[in-house]
Amino acid sequence: MIFDIPQETSSPENGKLMASEPFLTDRFFSRSVVLITEHNANGTMGFILNKPTDIKITDAITDFPPVDINLYFGGPVQPDTMHFIHNVGAEVIPESVEVAQGVFWGGDFEVVKSLLSTGVVSEKSFRFFMGYSGW
């Protein structure tokens, strides 16, 4: 999946990347890159982009179309929740939120399943996460 995401920043902003310090020893965030999807007065939310798991989405969701997509560890907050980013767009997946140019967060999950089951969109257009990062 290829996105044109702006370079990292020193303060959180929607659509920006935050990279961990090189020698951070935190078990969740060591060598992590987090995409910020929401930053406001209530806090910040994002997803770790570079922590794939060995779990397939079809192992986690029984009624998901037969695709070969690994889940990613999005962060330690609510690891029993599922989230996704994509490059399909809000005009195709209602309720999606554009967090950076061409990068969308969430949307109607039933539409996503339908698009994948019919082959209208590629598996490479999505990244699915278990949990999220928040502070």
Side-chain angles (χ1 to χ4, degrees), residues 27 30 37 51 59 65 68-69 95 101 110 130:
R27 71 184 190 129
S30 176
T37 54
K51 301 271 180 165
D59 295 333
D68 186 28
I69 299 175
E95 302 171 30
Q101 186 174 355
E110 293 304 315
M130 298 181 309

Side-chain angles (χ1 to χ4, degrees), residues 64-131:
F64 206 80
V67 293
D68 186 28
I69 299 175
N70 282 57
L71 292 174
Y72 280 71
F73 174 70
V77 181
Q78 296 183 339
D80 59 339
T81 60
M82 177 84 56
H83 307 270
F84 61 98
I85 59 174
H86 57 90
N87 63 4
V88 179
E91 61 281 350
V92 178
I93 302 175
E95 302 171 30
S96 297
V97 176
E98 189 169 30
V99 295
Q101 186 174 355
V103 181
F104 298 83
W105 167 38
D108 187 320
F109 198 63
E110 293 304 315
V111 171
V112 170
K113 292 187 330 187
S114 175
L115 292 169
L116 285 168
S117 69
T118 58
V120 172
V121 296
S122 167
E123 298 173 8
K124 294 180 188 318
S125 294
F126 296 90
R127 184 158 296 179
F128 293 89
F129 301 93
M130 298 181 309

Side-chain angles (χ1 to χ4, degrees), residues 22-76:
F23 301 107
L24 181 70
T25 58
D26 180 274
R27 71 184 190 129
F28 296 119
F29 295 104
S30 176
R31 300 187 180 275
S32 292
V33 177
V34 176
L35 170 65
I36 304 300
T37 54
E38 184 174 31
H39 178 70
N40 57 42
N42 296 321
T44 302
M45 178 178 183
F47 303 101
I48 301 172
L49 296 176
N50 60 328
K51 301 271 180 165
T53 71
D54 293 331
I55 302 169
K56 301 287 185 189
I57 192 163
T58 51
D59 295 333
I61 301 176
T62 55
D63 67 338
F64 206 80
V67 293
D68 186 28
I69 299 175
N70 282 57
L71 292 174
Y72 280 71
F73 174 70

Side-chain angles (χ1 to χ4, degrees), residues 4-18:
D4 185 20
I5 300 173
Q7 297 297 313
E8 67 179 281
T9 181
S10 60
S11 63
E13 296 176 32
N14 290 2
K16 300 294 182 174
L17 297 177
M18 294 189 73

